[in-house]
Amino acid sequence: MDSVLTRARLVRWYIAICAIFLASGLSISTWASRVPAIRESLGIENSGVGLLLLGMGVASIIGLSVAPVIMARLGARRGMLAALICVAVGVVIIGLGSDTLQLFGVALVGLALFGFGNGSVDVMMNVEGAALEKATGRTVMPLLHAFFSFGTVIGAGIGFLAVRGNVDVVAHCVAMGIVIAVVAVAAIANVPARETAMDAAPAEQRAHWRERLGESLSAWREPRTYTLGVIMLGMAFAEGSANDWLPSAVVFGHGAPEEAGPAVLAVFSVAMTVGRLAGGPVVDRFGRVWVLRILAVTAAAGLLLFIVAPFGPLVYIGAALWGLGASLGFPIGMSAAADDPAKAASRVAAAATIGYVAFLCGPPILGWIGDHIGLLNTLLIVVGLIVASGLFSGAAKPLVVADDAEAEPAQRA
């Protein structure tokens, strides 16, 4: 790693990682905003959409599990580029499979590529984000995740316009796949080659892949992984259920017109973005634990309002509170997992895996339950998980790492 990091290089690095987070968010809302249309095109019910989400979720967890190995072998730059190109290709195939070909299997392949790429890049971009926090001495993870949310806002807005303009799903997906690939190439060009402790080691220092895999699994033997996992589980359910089911809940649960689905999703995403933009200074001032507790209450209250209110302004207000409350759970969990730079990749991968089980594998279960009791009633399960997340928020208290004790300012619990 370079011994000197100039301000100009730090700024370029910062902007590049923000762009990578944005591209990932853009891909998620591109898919989410067209779920009702894809469902109709493929002629499937909630359980069919759930099966698509299950395929994406399994592929995502595989991507999360192998990301530390990919990062160690290829380095962050090439690893993130490969993952984002995989995402872009997956988005294109989703469009082709669900619209042009109308083949469930092809759409499932697209979602598997999409999930694997997003799972892999999630670990790598969060490790890079943790390295940025070490380099700047500030909490920046919420701002980085704000760019993910900003990407979902842009994607939801484009999805809304695409629905209103009767743009085919395939044209929409192909265009967004190209945009994601272009953003990836431009961003990676500005990521320093050797700026993270978990980047690729010189060839003579690289351990065998089996040893790397063993190191990546070591975090699963640490109790803190599981207590952080409860936080990640609840908040990832809160975010993932919105990304995958909010438009459908609005259209099929509240009986609103199709264009209202992306509109309410956009409100949710804007609220998440606002929470993440303001989150860094708030966390530095009040500490991770208290912020998580307050936001868990906010998310639970907003989701309950969304469920019980008739379609109208209260639904939008509920979505906004839901998004604001869910805004910092995932980034704070990632920051907590990466407190020790020497073990950041394996711990981030473990925490992210738990989060992704909820974020991507939980919604298929909700879809199956929704077929029996309705989507709005099913979302009550998410309320309970959000409450559990708030109760376990003490696990996010910052660790004091001996080597960094003098260099890093202490954060409040």
Side-chain angles (χ1 to χ4, degrees):
M1 184 168 66
D2 294 340
S3 59
V4 177
L5 182 64
T6 65
R7 180 175 178 79
R9 293 189 67 200
L10 180 62
V11 169
R12 291 198 301 272
W13 183 20
Y14 205 152
I15 293 172
I17 302 304
C18 286
I20 291 168
F21 271 84
L22 185 144
S24 181
L26 183 62
S27 72
I28 294 291
S29 60
T30 296
W31 148 254
S33 66
R34 301 312 298 264
V35 167
I38 291 171
R39 168 180 158 167
E40 294 295 326
S41 179
L42 292 175
I44 56 178
E45 301 295 331
N46 289 335
S47 55
V49 176
L51 183 58
L52 290 175
L53 294 173
L54 179 61
M56 178 173 66
V58 170
S60 297
I61 291 173
I62 294 172
L64 289 166
S65 300
V66 303
V69 180
I70 294 172
M71 196 172 181
R73 295 294 299 176
L74 300 180
R77 298 175 77 245
R78 288 186 293 170
M80 287 189 292
L81 178 60
L84 284 174
I85 294 300
C86 186
V87 170
V89 172
V91 169
V92 171
I93 294 176
I94 290 169
L96 291 171
S98 62
D99 192 355
T100 304
L101 301 176
Q102 295 185 341
L103 293 174
F104 184 90
V106 175
L108 182 60
V109 169
L111 279 161
L113 290 172
F114 173 85
F116 180 86
N118 263 317
S120 297
V121 79
D122 193 276
V123 172
M124 291 182 272
M125 69 188 185
N126 276 287
V127 171
E128 287 285 299
L132 272 171
E133 289 191 326
K134 297 297 180 182
T136 61
R138 298 179 181 178
T139 300
V140 302
M141 200 73 84
L143 182 59
L144 295 176
H145 282 259
F147 274 85
F148 176 89
S149 297
F150 189 38
T152 66
V153 171
I154 295 173
I158 293 173
F160 173 77
L161 294 175
V163 171
R164 287 295 297 269
N166 295 317
V167 176
D168 291 338
V169 173
V170 64
H172 181 192
C173 289
V174 169
M176 299 315 298
I178 293 171
V179 169
I180 292 166
V182 170
V183 171
V185 172
I188 294 301
N190 290 287
V191 175
R194 303 278 302 167
E195 294 296 354
T196 68
M198 292 305 302
D199 212 336
E204 65 273 12
Q205 297 179 12
R206 292 179 187 169
H208 191 275
W209 69 269
R210 289 190 179 88
E211 295 177 31
R212 290 286 186 183
L213 184 59
E215 292 172 6
S216 72
L217 296 176
S218 63
W220 292 103
R221 296 190 291 270
E222 300 172 357
R224 188 169 182 257
T225 297
Y226 298 97
T227 51
L228 282 176
V230 177
I231 299 173
M232 302 289 284
L233 186 74
M235 289 304 183
F237 248 101
E239 184 177 353
S241 61
N243 286 331
D244 288 320
W245 290 117
L246 193 152
S248 294
V250 171
V251 175
F252 301 109
H254 284 293
E258 184 181 348
E259 61 266 23
V264 179
L265 178 61
V267 169
F268 174 90
S269 298
V270 167
M272 286 202 71
T273 303
V274 170
R276 287 172 172 175
L277 286 172
V282 172
V283 172
D284 286 339
R285 174 65 179 86
F286 297 103
R288 295 171 181 168
V289 176
W290 278 106
V291 169
L292 284 173
R293 288 172 178 166
I294 292 170
L295 291 184
V297 173
T298 302
L303 180 50
L304 281 172
L305 181 60
F306 174 86
I307 293 168
V308 303
F311 180 73
L314 289 179
V315 168
Y316 285 88
I317 293 171
L321 292 173
W322 178 6
L324 181 63
S327 62
L328 298 182
F330 212 85
I332 288 177
M334 290 296 193
S335 288
D339 277 341
D340 183 355
K343 300 179 179 179
S346 61
R347 288 174 174 171
V348 167
T353 298
I354 295 173
Y356 264 66
V357 167
F359 192 78
L360 296 170
C361 294
I365 298 173
L366 296 181
W368 181 81
I369 297 173
D371 277 345
H372 293 80
I373 64 174
L375 280 176
L376 293 179
N377 290 330
T378 300
L379 290 175
L380 290 170
I381 297 171
V382 181
V383 175
L385 292 170
I386 292 171
V387 172
S389 177
L391 293 175
F392 277 79
S393 58
K397 184 176 181 179
L399 293 177
V400 177
V401 182
D403 291 341
D404 296 333
E406 297 181 0
E408 296 298 323
Q411 287 184 302
R412 299 184 182 184

